Amino acid sequence: MRTVLGIESSCDETAAALVTSDRTILAQRIASQDEAHRPYGGVVPEIAARAHSERIAPLIEATLADAGMTLDDVDAIAATAGPGLIGGVMVGLVTAKALAMATGKPLIAVNHLEGHALSPRLGDGALEYPYLLLLVSGGHCQILLVEGVGRFRRLATTIDDALGEAFDKSAKLLGLGYPGGPAMERLALEGDAKKVPLPRPLKGSEEPHFSFAGLKSAVMRAKQSGQYADADIAASFQQAAIDCLIDRTRRALASVGPLNALVVAGGVAANKAIRGALEALAAEHDLDFVAPPLGLCTDNAAMIAWAGVERFAMGQSDPLDVAARPRWPLDPDAETVRGAGVKA
Ligand code: KG4
Ligand code: ZN
């Protein structure tokens, strides 16, 4: 059995975790910076990088202490090396390099998106490749065929906003603070999804991709009209988003060969209405549906440690001069799509 220390710092969560090759999370800590960014309604990169640099070393110490371990008990050190806000990524990666250098243990540079993409396998030991993954977070909205570690085929992406971004921006328009996704989900529970007519961008389209910018603009017009209750706008927004997700995922399912499961990951995968709709879609296709436990959906270091476990098991590690990458697509062969990839 191997134990990997994982470090995550690519956005606004400073996180460390110790995960074993038999899928046990021995300890994990997450320091959220929500309070620091809330006044700005979004993540301020410079504030994030400074907060990571203050918190990361004590956080790793505390995580080791929680597990009653020292660095001697760790077999490898994995850290997010991108994509993300580069200042934060560098704090985590350089910390991992220093620990690897001091201990002589291998360094594993993990793609944050691969962390999300493989996280369902940490929660569910029965999940085998290949699976169809809907990766929905604050910066990404992609459908990927996951064929193995480092083996991804991107089938669809967003041509403008990511889904989490659409949730966050719509929440801001309704005056619900940051981060908006969980607040929108709560408010939607009190509303009627049929009350506000909203568009379903690209639904039924020949091309495989997503678009959410028009939906967000429609939320703005609905709010400004003064005709609708906020809860009805939230419920109608969430339903429109779900209709788009299901339509696009159904199209993707029709374009691939046999699969072992339909899987959802990323921060937006914490949304129960979205999980429910995808579960029904999977059942319709006679597929298992796998979603990580809620705590593994939003950014965390256990998923980074787990990606490290999988890479380490394949004999992979990285040199101490490995680069931090603000952009790092999972499928390097995927064509660039209008607007997509602007954000990490
Ligand atoms: O994966 P994540 O923690 O960070 C990124 O890598 O982007 O995702 C954060 C995103 C935010 O946009 C947040 O609003 C959204 O996930 N989110 C949700 C929910 N919980 C988090 N969106 C909808 N419903 C939720 N319950
Ligand atoms: Zn993420």
Side-chain angles (χ1 to χ4, degrees):
M1 202 193 50
R2 302 294 184 87
T3 301
V4 174
L5 169 66
I7 298 172
E8 159 62 32
S9 59
S10 65
C11 191
D12 59 345
E13 260 92 33
T14 318
L18 289 157
V19 174
T20 66
S21 47
D22 67 358
R23 297 184 157 80
T24 307
I25 300 173
L26 298 172
Q28 70 163 324
R29 288 202 175 217
I30 303 178
S32 161
Q33 303 173 8
D34 284 354
E35 292 305 323
H37 301 289
R38 186 160 289 134
Y40 307 94
V43 180
V44 182
E46 183 69 24
I47 293 175
R50 290 175 191 220
H52 287 306
S53 77
E54 287 163 17
R55 294 174 185 181
I56 202 152
L59 194 87
I60 293 168
E61 269 194 319
T63 305
L64 285 164
D66 289 346
M69 296 176 101
T70 69
L71 286 171
D72 289 340
D73 305 311
V74 168
D75 295 294
I77 296 153
T80 297
L85 300 172
I86 194 64
V89 171
M90 287 199 289
V91 170
L93 184 59
V94 170
T95 302
K97 287 182 179 188
L99 295 177
M101 192 170 70
T103 58
K105 314 258 168 154
L107 170 75
I108 304 169
V110 171
N111 182 317
H112 177 85
L113 300 173
E114 181 163 81
H116 280 300
L118 304 187
S119 65
R121 282 168 53 83
L122 169 57
D124 183 346
L127 175 60
E128 300 283 350
Y129 304 114
Y131 53 85
L132 193 76
L133 171 72
L134 188 58
L135 177 55
V136 278
S137 70
H140 293 272
C141 186
Q142 302 186 355
I143 302 177
L144 296 149
L145 179 62
V146 184
E147 297 178 301
V149 178
R151 293 173 53 209
F152 300 92
R153 195 147 66 80
R154 196 201 69 196
L155 304 174
T157 187
T158 177
I159 62 168
D160 42 55
D161 292 349
L163 183 54
E165 196 179 357
F167 264 94
D168 292 337
K169 287 177 176 170
S170 299
K172 200 169 174 182
L173 289 166
L174 298 183
L176 306 173
Y178 169 85
M184 282 295 267
E185 182 178 14
R186 276 195 300 277
L187 188 58
L189 288 174
E190 297 160 25
D192 181 346
K194 295 197 189 71
K195 279 273 165 70
V196 188
L198 294 174
R200 270 74 175 153
L202 292 186
K203 186 174 173 202
S205 147
E206 286 282 302
E207 59 172 315
H209 300 302
F210 295 95
S211 168
F212 293 107
L215 181 54
K216 171 201 65 196
S217 309
V219 164
M220 182 168 74
R221 287 191 296 275
K223 172 72 181 167
Q224 285 171 347
S225 77
Q227 286 182 51
Y228 305 105
D230 284 357
D232 292 337
I233 299 178
S236 301
F237 164 83
Q238 185 170 275
Q239 191 55 51
I242 289 174
D243 288 351
C244 295
L245 279 183
I246 295 301
D247 177 72
R248 307 284 75 196
T249 309
R250 183 176 277 125
R251 187 194 180 289
L253 281 168
S255 75
V256 293
L259 295 167
N260 283 309
L262 174 64
V263 177
V264 65
V268 184
N271 185 292
K272 294 199 188 63
I274 290 175
R275 289 164 92 104
L278 288 168
E279 188 164 14
L281 179 69
E284 202 183 285
H285 287 77
D286 231 351
L287 279 173
D288 282 343
F289 174 68
V290 181
L294 293 188
L296 284 182
C297 289
T298 45
D299 285 348
N300 65 87
M303 68 181 193
I304 304 304
W306 175 253
V309 167
E310 292 225 29
R311 286 201 167 266
F312 196 46
M314 296 174 71
Q316 297 181 12
S317 64
D318 292 280
L320 288 175
D321 65 352
V322 67
R325 300 174 62 173
R327 294 190 193 175
W328 187 0
L330 280 178
D331 177 359
D333 299 327
E335 41 141 10
T336 311
V337 170
R338 267 177 294 157
V342 173
K343 284 190 42 171

